Structures are given as structure tokens and as C-alpha cells.
């Protein structure tokens, strides 16, 4: 049975945001002298949140390939996402994590390796196979989110939850695009529509939480305004009942633009947190 990521995200208590606050591609992931063995927990959280986004980005890349929606761009999305995920996993293998976080990382990394291997071997053009890959990506995403939640707990600074919240919004841009395409392609339509509806609701909730969070400055305020405008356009595209390629391309376009603005917001939060908590 597919496991929804929404239950986990809700459990992270984003409303508490405040300023008072066999692994390989052949061999085991092991610390290497060339990498930083003292990766900070803050830096580790940033890498983990990025891994969360990449689970759904891989799914969207394969979605474009299978459904022939800007399929010429799908190969680059898949390749770049895979290479970035491998690098992030290796970096995190060198992080000085707590026992609980290290155990969760080991479990998550095994699942990520399985997803990357499935992605590399995924050449099918069947919509049902795409749906299976999407479910695998969502299930792995739950493991990544659990590690993110544990790192926030280890940091002991609730204010850093703005990072995981923003990363979840970034991930949802990709998640929604994939499940919109699957729903409108007629694959597991009821299940895909359910995931789509849940994702839209989650996006609205998380965005409202960030807008109400007290961590603010001029760049953050500007980005939040841009995101509100861009999300309006993406949400409108997601409401379309049409199943033609042009409609799917519109969803992909608005998802990319929303992701770009959210990526800027993540950077603004990181800069603000560096000033606030060092």
C-alpha cells in the first residue's frame, strides 16, 4: 500500500516555527579522506532536504519521458538529479551524525540506492510502470523526511524547521506535476487524484505557515510574495480537466518556475539563520 508523506510532514509540527528556537553503486558508502568528515548538522539538514526534492524530481523526469511531455528535457532532469543525489549521499556518509540519525541515514541511503538503480534501469514506456516508480519515490521520500525531522531534533533549534518546510514546498512542485500527469493520463486515476488533492492542500498549508512565521527580512518577504503569485498560476494549471500535452506542459512550466522561486527563498532562510544562530 502506498504510504502518504503528508502524515509525516504534519507530525513535524511546522506551526511551531519561531525564532526562539550494502550502500554503493558497487561498494559501501564510507567516509573518504577527500571529503569533510565534520559536516555540521545544519549543513547535513540542507543536504537531506535537497534529497527529499530529488526523489520527486526523478519521478517527474520519468513522467515527462513516458508521457512525452517535453521528453527531450527528461534525460537531463534524470541524469542531473541522479548525479546530485549520489554526491549528497556520499557527503552525508561523512557527516558526524548522532546514533539515531546515523541509523536513519543508513536505512534511507539503502532505499535511495534502490531508487537510483530502478531509475537507471527504467526504460519502460508503460504508464503503470511509471505509477509504480512514483510510489517508490514517495515511499523513499518518507524515509528522507524522517531523517530531516531527526536532524531538526538533534539541532535543538525549532527555527530551522523553515528549511524543511521550504524544501517540502520545493518537493511538492515536482510531486504535483508528476501526479497531475498520471491522473490525466488515466493511470490509477482515483489514487493519483487523491495524491494530487492532498498535495495541493499540503502546499497551501505549508505556504501559509511560512507566511505567518516570524523569521522575516526584505528578501524573504519579497520571495514569499513571488511564491504566492507563482503558486496561484500553478494551482490554476493543476485545476485543468484537459488531458492534452499542452496542458501537461503548462503544469511542468509553472512547477519549474515555482521551484526556482522557492529555491531562492531557501537561500534567504539559510542566510537569515546563519545570522540568527550562527
Amino acid at each position: 500500500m502506498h504510504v502518504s508523506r503528508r502524515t509525516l510532514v504534519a507530525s513535524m509540527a511546522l506551526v511551531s516555527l519561531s525564532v526562539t528556537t550494502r550502500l554503493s553503486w558497487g561498494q559501501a558508502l564510507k567516509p573518504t579522506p577527500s571529503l569533510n568528515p565534520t559536516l555540521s548538522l545544519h549543513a547535513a539538514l540542507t543536504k537531506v532536504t535537497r534529497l527529499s526534492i530529488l526523489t520527486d524530481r526523478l519521478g517527474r523526469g520519468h513522467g515527462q519521458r513516458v508521457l512525452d511531455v517535453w521528453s527531450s528535457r527528461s534525460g537531463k532532469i534524470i541524469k542531473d538529479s541522479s548525479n546530485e543525489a549520489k554526491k549528497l549521499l556520499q557527503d552525508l556518509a561523512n557527516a558526524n551524525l548522532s546514533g539515531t540519525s546515523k541509523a536513519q541515514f543508513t536505512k534511507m541511503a539503502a532505499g535511495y540506492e534502490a531508487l537510483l538503480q530502478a531509475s537507471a534501469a527504467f526504460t519502460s514506456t508503460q504508464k503503470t510502470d511509471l505509477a509504480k516508480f512514483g510510489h517508490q519515490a514517495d515511499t523513499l521520500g518518507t524515509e528522507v523526511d524522517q531523517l530531516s525531522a531527526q536532524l531538526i531534533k538533534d539541532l535543538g533549534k525549532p527555527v530551522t524547521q523553515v528549511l524543511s518546510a521550504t524544501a517540502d514546498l520545493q518537493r511538492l512542485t515536482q510531486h504535483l506535476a508528476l501526479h497531475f500527469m498520471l491522473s490525466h493520463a488515466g493511470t490509477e486515476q482515483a489514487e493519483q487524484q487523491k495524491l494530487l488533492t492532498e498535495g495541493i492542500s499540503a502546499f497551501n498549508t505549508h505556504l501559509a505557515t511560512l507566511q505567518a512565521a516570524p523569521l522575516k527580512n526584505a528578501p524573504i518577504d519579497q520571495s514569499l510574495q513571488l511564491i504566492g503569485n507563482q503558486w496561484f498560476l500553478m494551482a490554476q494549471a493543476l485545476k485543468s480537466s484537459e488531458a492534452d500535452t499542452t496542458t501537461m506542459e503548462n503544469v511542468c512550466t509553472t512547477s519549474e518556475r515555482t521551484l526556482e522561486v522557492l529555491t531562492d527563498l531557501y537561500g534567504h532562510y539559510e542566510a537569515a539563520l546563519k545570522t540568527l544562530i550562527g
Side-chain angles (χ1 to χ4, degrees):
M1 179 181 295
H2 171 64
V3 179
S4 172
R5 298 173 71 173
R6 305 275 49 82
T7 301
L8 174 67
V9 173
S11 73
M12 293 174 69
L14 295 179
V15 293
S16 68
L17 292 172
S18 72
V19 293
T20 61
T21 70
R22 212 168 65 207
L23 298 184
S24 70
W25 290 268
Q27 57 185 315
L29 282 174
K30 297 178 180 178
T32 56
S34 62
L35 297 175
N36 181 6
T38 58
L39 186 70
S40 70
L41 288 181
H42 193 164
L45 176 61
T46 294
K47 292 178 184 295
V48 171
T49 56
R50 182 63 185 171
L51 281 172
S52 178
I53 299 161
L54 293 174
T55 60
D56 278 283
R57 191 157 179 78
L58 280 166
R60 206 204 84 184
H62 283 293
Q64 289 185 214
R65 178 184 63 80
V66 172
L67 300 175
D68 196 23
V69 179
W70 281 340
S71 56
S72 61
R73 305 182 186 185
S74 63
K76 180 172 174 55
I77 290 174
I78 296 167
K79 180 181 178 181
D80 289 352
S81 297
S82 297
N83 288 339
E84 184 179 357
K86 292 176 184 179
K87 177 62 167 61
L88 290 168
L89 288 170
Q90 186 64 76
D91 287 348
L92 286 165
N94 290 272
N96 185 23
L97 303 180
S98 70
T100 303
S101 291
K102 192 67 175 179
Q104 180 61 33
F105 167 73
T106 300
K107 181 181 178 183
M108 180 274 291
Y112 226 117
E113 179 187 6
L115 184 73
L116 291 171
Q117 290 174 343
S119 177
F122 185 24
T123 58
S124 171
T125 57
Q126 297 300 310
K127 298 172 186 176
T128 52
D129 291 333
L130 174 61
K132 290 177 182 178
F133 185 86
H135 290 323
Q136 183 180 359
D138 282 343
T139 300
L140 171 62
T142 299
E143 298 289 341
V144 184
D145 291 344
Q146 287 173 343
L147 178 55
S148 178
Q150 182 59 47
L151 288 174
I152 289 172
K153 183 178 179 180
D154 291 344
L155 278 164
K157 298 180 175 65
V159 68
T160 58
Q161 289 178 346
V162 293
L163 297 179
S164 62
T166 307
D168 201 51
L169 288 175
Q170 290 175 288
R171 183 193 64 77
L172 281 167
T173 64
Q174 309 302 290
H175 176 88
L176 288 167
L178 171 61
H179 292 295
F180 177 90
M181 288 189 286
L182 282 168
S183 174
H184 287 62
T187 302
E188 297 181 351
Q189 197 158 8
E191 172 68 6
Q192 300 302 331
Q193 186 59 49
K194 178 176 180 289
L195 290 169
L196 190 61
T197 300
E198 289 177 347
I200 292 172
S201 177
F203 197 107
N204 284 324
T205 298
H206 297 340
L207 180 56
T209 299
L210 288 180
Q211 289 169 333
L215 182 59
K216 295 282 175 58
N217 58 30
I220 290 172
D221 287 342
Q222 183 177 19
S223 286
L224 285 171
Q225 182 176 353
L226 289 172
I227 291 163
N229 294 338
Q230 193 56 52
W231 171 238
F232 174 80
L233 296 176
M234 183 175 176
Q236 289 298 112
L238 291 169
K239 291 177 183 178
S240 176
S241 60
E242 300 297 324
D244 58 280
T245 300
T246 299
T247 299
M248 294 187 183
E249 287 179 351
N250 187 29
V251 168
C252 288
T253 298
T254 54
S255 73
E256 284 298 278
R257 289 175 179 168
T258 308
L259 176 60
E260 288 174 4
V261 180
L262 283 163
T263 299
D264 288 341
L265 176 63
Y266 193 101
H268 295 325
Y269 275 135
E270 279 199 305
L273 287 169
K274 186 176 181 179
T275 300
L276 183 66
I277 63 178

